[in-house]
Amino acid sequence: TIAKINIKKLDSINNGLVVATLITKQKNLELSLNEIDIAQIKVGQNATISFDAIPDFKLNGTITRVDTLGTVSQGVVTYNIKLGFDTQDDRVKPGMSLSAAIITDIKQDVLTVPVGAIKTNGDVSYVEMLDSSMDSSADNQGVTSATTPRQQMVEVGISNDTATEIISGLKEGDQVVSR
């Protein structure tokens, strides 16, 4: 079904112009990603999609297309990707604002620390640790220590917005300074 036509007879058409909007039974959505994020994206990866207008509602999708040619706008390069999903929900409408969490890698049973605990000095990553351990039953927010934290070198793995994998340098149960 043609939902909208954006041109009229004898109009000039140039690259990037949306000529018409089609509504199909196939559910797809397009997203633009920056040049840093696009390097990790491949066809077949899964994503969780949430919509601003529909609280507590998420869809699962799969990347079906990744553009190889980027678009430059105000000095920023973006690449379009297409996500397909098959859930039929009448609340989802064309043009809705959404967020997509694309799963680029999964590791299970790994040691992690909060992202804010990782510090870097050149190519070296480290965490700060106290020589005396804190009581784990107490709320350790804002605790003052009589000793200065020491730097413990670590090898980091994958990370997301909240946690970073520790490959080596720490063991389970070690306490680190997170801020």
Side-chain angles (χ1 to χ4, degrees):
T1 305
I2 298 175
K4 183 177 180 183
I5 298 176
N6 299 324
I7 61 168
K8 57 187 182 300
K9 190 175 182 177
L10 301 177
D11 278 352
S12 295
I13 299 174
N14 47 10
N15 190 18
L17 176 70
V18 176
V19 175
T21 303
L22 302 176
I23 299 175
T24 66
K25 291 185 189 290
Q26 182 182 11
K27 300 288 186 176
N28 289 305
L29 49 95
E30 284 195 17
L31 298 171
S32 294
L33 298 178
N34 65 40
E35 59 190 332
I36 294 170
D37 292 337
I38 199 70
Q40 301 176 43
I41 305 303
K42 298 182 275 226
V43 170
Q45 288 174 321
N46 294 323
T48 303
I49 306 153
S50 57
F51 297 85
D52 294 351
I54 312 171
D56 302 322
F57 176 71
K58 293 187 186 303
L59 289 176
N60 293 319
T62 304
I63 296 176
T64 58
R65 188 186 83 217
V66 178
D67 284 355
T68 54
L69 187 60
T71 305
V72 180
S73 175
Q74 297 179 346
V76 177
V77 180
T78 58
Y79 295 82
N80 290 329
I81 64 167
K82 187 177 278 191
L83 285 164
F85 60 96
D86 31 347
T87 302
Q88 302 294 328
D89 193 302
D90 291 336
R91 295 177 293 175
V92 177
K93 306 288 186 209
M96 283 185 150
S97 297
L98 60 93
S99 297
I102 301 170
I103 301 166
T104 58
D105 201 355
I106 295 176
K107 289 188 178 179
Q108 296 180 343
D109 299 322
V110 296
L111 182 63
T112 64
V113 297
V115 169
I118 303 293
K119 313 286 190 271
T120 57
N121 186 3
D123 293 339
V124 178
S125 296
Y126 65 93
V127 296
E128 293 179 331
M129 300 177 68
L130 297 173
D131 287 327
S132 59
S133 89
M134 305 300 284
D135 180 10
S136 62
S137 64
D139 178 15
N140 293 341
Q141 296 292 323
V143 172
T144 303
S145 171
T147 61
T148 303
R150 66 177 169 82
Q151 293 181 1
Q152 173 64 43
M153 303 309 155
V154 292
E155 182 182 354
V156 296
I158 63 173
S159 66
N160 61 18
D161 293 340
T162 59
T164 299
E165 174 192 13
I166 300 297
I167 296 172
S168 65
L170 292 177
K171 63 183 182 313
E172 187 173 352
D174 283 347
Q175 294 180 340
V176 298
V177 177
S178 61
R179 288 197 264 174

